[in-house]
Amino acid sequence: EYYKYSPKLQEAYQNDLKVYRDNRNVVETARIEGEKKGRAEGEAKGKAEGLAKGRAEGRAEGRAEGRAVGLAEGRAEGLAEAARNLKQRGVDDETITQITGLSIDEINRL
């Protein structure tokens, strides 16, 4: 049917078809580039949020662990100091063990 038209109409049809295809390709290219840009922005945002959340969780975990270690060390030092004081006052090792919970070996090392 295309060949039934005059050469001038065929040329106009070809020009319109080219414009249509060019426009369709422009829209498709813009869509693809937009998707790529959106993915890249989403990945960057996700990584940034993940890092921030990971750092916050890591800090909180580190603080909690630090507090627990500090408390344990503080208790141990307190018990050792109490045992030393009791020992200096002449309290026998067995009584010191009962009071502090330290072993006799631990008391002897003080």
Side-chain angles (χ1 to χ4, degrees), residues 4-96:
K4 292 181 185 177
Y5 297 122
S6 69
K8 192 173 185 177
L9 279 176
Q10 287 178 6
E11 184 180 344
Y13 175 78
Q14 288 298 326
N15 287 337
D16 286 347
L17 191 58
K18 182 182 181 311
V19 168
Y20 167 77
R21 288 178 181 154
D22 287 347
N23 287 338
R24 192 178 75 195
N25 287 335
V26 165
V27 169
E28 182 65 15
T29 300
R31 183 188 64 77
I32 291 169
E33 288 176 3
E35 285 177 359
K36 286 180 185 177
K37 182 179 178 185
R39 270 193 215 106
E41 288 173 358
E43 286 177 10
K45 183 179 179 184
K47 285 179 184 177
E49 288 174 359
L51 282 172
K53 184 178 179 184
R55 284 184 184 132
E57 289 174 0
R59 283 187 194 116
E61 194 174 304
R63 285 185 189 121
E65 193 174 315
R67 282 188 195 110
V69 168
L71 284 172
E73 288 175 358
R75 284 187 185 122
E77 288 175 20
L79 289 173
E81 185 176 338
R84 266 190 238 101
N85 289 337
L86 290 169
K87 197 170 187 176
Q88 286 173 355
R89 293 184 182 187
V91 177
D92 65 284
D93 289 350
E94 194 63 38
T95 304
I96 296 173

